[in-house]
Amino acid sequence: MTSFGFADIIAPMSEEEFFADYFDKKPLHIRGTPGKFAEVMSWRHLNTMLNQTHIWSSKTLNLVLDCVPLGPETFCRQTQDRDGRPVLQPDPEKVLGQLRRGASLVLNDIDSLSAGLASVSNALEETLGAKAQANLYCSWRQHKAFPPHYDTHDVYAIHVEGTKTWNVYSGRADHPIPHPLFKGLPQAHHEQAKGELLMEVALQPGDLLYLPRGQYHDAMASTDAVIHVAFGAHHPLGMDLMNLLFDRVAYEPLFRSPVPRPTAEDGDTALREHMRAMGTRLAELAEDPGVAEAFAGFIRGYRYPRGGFSLPALDESTRYTVAGKGLRVVRRGHAFAVKAPSGMLPVPDDSHDMVVWMLSRDSFSEAEFGAAFAATPPERRDAAIGELARADLIRAA
């Protein structure tokens, strides 16, 4: 499957059941088939991403060993970027050395680095109306990357390699956000707040684990070489409306004027009345059609920009794909022919170069073909394309 919809991600569960019984309510484990997410991530995909060496830094690639983040100096080298500026870049040998010790590899914000990752992220955003961001975790047997904790977003964890045991606890923080109020809590607090073990899940390739925001959990690899990708869904919040109203009240004299100062005669009575007036005006602004439309537009556009390039975008001509591999033009006496599985197809002398050009590609457009043979009369170009199309050696996409 090259393109995922939300229904594909949570299959075989229906969307109706998911939103009625689980969404923002309780954790869910969906057992899948080994190949369900094979096009999203694999060892081949992972190595392809890692070998794009210049996109990785000590901020986007992290290592964690037994719940302790490793310092960049333990797995990076000091080098220069393409502009000659000093930068810390992960060193493959140092990274491998730490992985052999049992460190977990963490790749952050990878949701646009492959078609599969982007497809899942786009499907989540389309259905949930949330921003979807992806982190990859590669772990090793009996080494835990993180202690019991919660996330400040919903988690859709897809499992692609090995087996990892997740402990999901009964404790759940009440809709935490990325704020010091929630991010600065000591681990001792989390150990007490996590509650009793709610479910123990052994994730295997093709499985999905959904955790609502704030649900306490931890995980440990049960085998060597384990990979899962955690897609975080960040939903619009009421606080986003407050941010919009903050910009709106700049136009309101009531909010720009000094607040009354307390006096010995009336204490803070005037101040309280002023605060009530501001609260009333905020309520009126929240019901204003212009504010409502602006907030609705904010929600409609609540997505991470991802992809969008499909070059050559200006070429709207018919595109052809070559129907088979290994097709080639051979000489037969004084003439040429295409050696195809169905037999030999004669090639006129005046179209030999064009046929060789077409069959040497996986695909091409009429515009590309025309540019390559601009000096050839259009009718001869059309005849060459038509001959290969009738022989089913090229097909219009």
Side-chain angles (χ1 to χ4, degrees):
M1 181 182 298
T2 57
S3 180
F4 283 83
F6 187 75
D8 302 313
I9 297 170
I10 64 170
M13 177 170 286
S14 70
E15 294 186 40
E16 292 76 15
E17 183 180 359
F18 174 77
F19 286 110
D21 298 335
Y22 295 96
F23 177 71
D24 198 35
K25 296 181 179 71
K26 59 184 179 180
L28 169 66
H29 173 216
I30 298 177
R31 184 70 71 189
T33 57
K36 181 177 180 180
F37 299 116
E39 294 187 38
V40 179
M41 184 53 58
S42 65
W43 290 114
R44 177 175 59 83
H45 289 106
L46 175 56
N47 283 311
T48 297
M49 286 196 306
L50 289 173
N51 284 324
Q52 301 175 52
T53 51
H54 65 282
I55 71 172
W56 301 108
S57 70
S58 58
K59 299 187 185 311
T60 56
L61 187 153
N62 303 137
L63 295 179
V64 183
L65 178 60
D66 298 328
C67 301
V68 179
L70 299 183
E73 69 280 358
T74 67
F75 62 91
C76 291
R77 63 172 180 266
Q78 186 75 46
T79 185
Q80 292 183 337
D81 64 16
R82 301 297 172 88
D83 295 319
R85 296 171 298 197
V87 64
L88 277 175
Q89 192 173 75
D91 180 278
E93 287 304 316
K94 289 184 178 180
V95 170
L96 285 173
Q98 297 294 357
L99 296 183
R100 291 188 183 101
R101 295 178 58 207
S104 291
L105 172 69
V106 182
L107 304 181
N108 294 317
D109 298 319
I110 63 171
D111 44 279
S112 64
L113 296 188
S114 76
L117 291 165
S119 179
V120 172
S121 301
N122 290 336
L124 291 172
E125 290 184 342
E126 179 68 25
T127 298
L128 301 173
K131 292 181 177 180
Q133 161 265 345
N135 295 341
L136 178 143
Y137 301 87
C138 178
S139 306
W140 310 90
R141 186 194 305 266
Q142 299 306 308
H143 287 278
K144 182 183 293 187
F146 302 102
H149 67 284
Y150 58 72
D151 291 297
T152 56
H153 50 261
D154 285 7
V155 173
Y156 296 79
I158 67 169
H159 200 84
V160 292
E161 295 286 350
T163 303
K164 176 175 279 190
T165 300
W166 291 64
N167 297 314
V168 181
Y169 300 97
S170 60
R172 182 183 175 190
D174 188 4
H175 296 94
I177 57 175
H179 184 277
L181 177 64
F182 299 97
K183 301 291 278 187
L185 295 171
Q187 187 57 37
H189 168 86
H190 297 308
E191 295 293 343
Q192 184 175 7
K194 69 180 183 182
E196 300 295 324
L197 183 65
L198 177 66
M199 54 192 294
E200 182 180 274
V201 180
L203 286 194
Q204 298 177 0
D207 286 5
L208 170 75
L209 180 64
Y210 165 72
L211 298 175
R213 176 163 51 126
Q215 192 78 48
Y216 274 99
H217 62 279
D218 59 31
M220 182 181 290
S222 307
T223 62
D224 282 332
V226 176
I227 300 177
H228 83 270
V229 181
F231 291 85
H234 305 255
H235 291 267
L237 307 176
M239 295 182 69
D240 294 312
L241 175 60
M242 297 302 297
N243 290 332
L244 190 151
L245 289 174
F246 180 82
D247 292 332
R248 181 62 182 79
V249 297
Y251 296 91
E252 299 285 325
L254 175 63
F255 290 87
R256 299 199 308 267
S257 62
V259 297
R261 64 181 183 86
T263 64
E265 292 76 19
D266 70 350
D268 58 4
T269 300
L271 175 61
R272 291 181 179 275
E273 290 178 352
H274 190 80
M275 292 172 62
R276 279 193 293 271
M278 289 192 293
T280 299
R281 184 59 184 144
L282 279 176
E284 293 171 352
L285 288 173
E287 295 181 358
D288 181 270
V291 173
E293 177 54 33
F295 193 47
F298 168 82
I299 294 173
R300 286 193 298 270
Y302 201 75
R303 306 285 190 275
Y304 284 126
R306 187 180 297 110
F309 289 96
S310 181
L311 301 180
L314 300 181
D315 183 359
E316 298 180 356
S317 61
T318 301
R319 191 162 195 89
Y320 294 90
T321 58
V322 177
K325 298 293 185 182
L327 297 175
R328 58 194 181 93
V329 178
V330 297
R331 181 181 288 276
R332 293 178 61 85
H334 298 291
F336 295 97
V338 176
K339 189 177 182 180
S342 59
M344 304 298 289
L345 174 69
V347 175
D349 289 346
D350 62 358
S351 63
H352 167 261
D353 290 343
M354 291 184 286
V355 171
V356 170
W357 186 93
M358 287 186 279
L359 297 184
S360 67
R361 286 155 172 76
D362 292 327
S363 67
F364 63 92
S365 71
E366 284 184 343
E368 293 168 344
F369 182 57
F373 296 93
T376 302
E379 59 271 17
R380 283 177 52 197
R381 297 199 303 260
D382 293 343
I385 287 179
E387 190 71 21
L388 293 190
R390 284 190 292 275
D392 200 33
L393 297 183
I394 62 173
R395 298 166 185 167

